[in-house]
Structure formats: C-alpha cells, structure tokens
Amino acid sequence: MCMHDIDLYAQIGDLKEVDYRNTLAIATMIELLIDKGLIQRKEFSQMAQKLDNMTIEELKFLRSR
C-alpha cells in the first residue's frame, strides 16, 4: 500500500464524516419544522418522493423558476 492509497482512504473517511454531519443537520431541521407545525411528516414524505421521481431536466427547470 502506497501513501497515495492511504491518503485516498483518509479522504473517503472524511467524506463519510461530512455526509453524516450533513444528514444529521437536515434531519434536525426537518424534525424542528414538524415539531413547530410548519410542515407535516406526510407532506414532507410526498414531496421527497415527487422530487426523487423527477428527471434532471425537470429539477433544473424547477430551480430556474
């Protein structure tokens, strides 16, 4: 194993930590919005499913409006 491989594994480990922190922040915001009655869990779930089913072109159009 060379130094480049070790550096690559370290970068992957860092990405996992960043992904975890980002996921935690998003989940926290969602729960706070639900707790405050600003959104409903079902409403959030439906929108997430809708966005997940959209094509890249549809998402780009949605962002450009």
Side-chain angles (χ1 to χ4, degrees), residues 20-47:
Y20 168 75
R21 296 284 179 197
N22 287 337
T23 301
L24 179 62
I26 292 167
T28 300
M29 287 189 292
I30 292 166
E31 290 302 319
L32 287 170
L33 291 170
I34 291 169
D35 288 349
K36 292 179 180 292
L38 297 172
I39 63 170
Q40 295 177 351
R41 193 173 303 278
K42 184 176 180 179
E43 176 185 29
F44 176 83
S45 177
Q46 289 170 340
M47 181 58 75

Side-chain angles (χ1 to χ4, degrees), residues 4 8 18 28 30 36-37 39 45 49-50 56 64-65:
H4 176 72
L8 183 61
V18 169
T28 300
I30 292 166
K36 292 179 180 292
I39 63 170
S45 177
Q49 185 175 9
K50 177 182 173 183
I56 297 295
S64 70
R65 295 190 300 168

